[in-house]
Amino acid sequence: MFHTTLFLFALLFSCTSHAADFCVGDLKGPETPSGYTCKPPANVTVDDFVFSGLAKGGNTTNIISAAVTPAFLAQFPGLNGLGISLARLDLAPGGVIPFHTHPAANEVLLVTQGSICAGFVSSSANTVYLKTLKKGDVMIFPQGLLHFQINAGGSIAIASVTFSSPNPGLQITDFALFANDLPTELIAKTTFLDPATIKKLKGVLGGTN
């Protein structure tokens, strides 16, 4: 009787432990604030835990001469429930990731090629933390704070970026102000920019009004 009970307990513990090991996201289902529902274990394969999309950089032929290749939950369902994600950053000469925030995640940036001028601004005293990073340098950007990255050299710069959420979120300040239909007069009152400058920026970024 003792051995039978022990065996059943061990079997139950094994099944429970395995079920809690991971929760590969079922991207065909609805997304909730906590992620996706779990894919049935029988349908999980090793490919759910492997992502090969960061080997090649993105297209930097654009207005910011930069590309971010994400490995977020939508691209990498094995991240579901793990509280992490990553991306690749490519900055052509002159490239920039403008001031932006990640509302849902801290960011860790590791420079793997070239040099990058990076910085963030604190919310309490508007203190600027600025550094030119070389290959092998790592910088942290706390959750929700405005930050940026600029190519600081004459050749392409590459970085590996890690986030503390499978969906870090993104809001780029320039796009939030000038790439939509927010009226020019309101932007002028809240930013102290003159209307002519605002209209010029809206023309560049596709905004109206």
Side-chain angles (χ1 to χ4, degrees):
M1 179 65 179
F2 173 77
H3 292 293
T4 301
T5 303
L6 185 62
F7 172 77
L8 291 175
F9 176 77
L11 181 62
L12 177 62
F13 178 80
S14 175
C15 292
T16 303
S17 176
H18 176 72
D21 282 345
F22 48 78
C23 175
V24 174
D26 183 358
L27 302 186
K28 296 180 180 179
E31 185 178 8
T32 70
S34 59
Y36 289 89
T37 56
C38 303
K39 181 186 289 190
N43 296 339
V44 174
T45 72
V46 67
D47 290 334
D48 290 313
F49 303 102
V50 176
F51 183 77
S52 302
L54 303 184
K56 184 178 180 181
N59 183 8
T60 59
T61 307
N62 51 56
I63 192 172
I64 60 175
S65 298
V68 177
T69 306
F72 298 162
L73 183 52
Q75 296 83 28
F76 197 179
L79 295 173
N80 194 50
L82 299 183
I84 56 172
S85 62
L86 59 160
R88 170 175 169 153
L89 170 61
D90 289 86
L91 292 165
V96 56
I97 302 296
F99 266 115
H100 64 283
T101 67
H102 301 293
N106 300 297
E107 175 182 339
V108 179
L109 180 142
L110 166 64
V111 178
T112 58
Q113 180 177 318
S115 61
I116 295 175
C117 175
F120 67 88
V121 182
S122 72
S123 64
S124 56
N126 290 318
T127 303
V128 178
Y129 298 90
L130 180 66
K131 186 78 171 181
T132 297
L133 309 173
K134 306 296 184 182
K135 181 179 179 180
D137 288 342
V138 175
M139 188 167 183
I140 298 170
F141 306 93
Q143 179 175 336
L145 296 187
L146 284 167
H147 60 286
F148 66 90
Q149 292 95 20
I150 301 174
N151 188 330
S155 59
I156 191 165
I158 302 173
S160 175
V161 186
T162 305
F163 299 96
S164 62
S165 168
N167 283 316
L170 171 67
Q171 185 171 42
I172 299 176
T173 306
D174 292 340
F175 293 175
L177 289 172
F178 309 116
N180 52 35
D181 60 356
L182 185 62
T184 294
E185 59 269 23
L186 292 182
I187 299 175
K189 287 182 180 295
T190 56
T191 64
F192 307 110
L193 293 172
D194 65 89
T197 299
I198 295 169
K199 289 183 180 296
K200 180 179 180 180
L201 291 169
K202 279 179 172 284
V204 171
L205 297 177
T208 59
N209 280 349

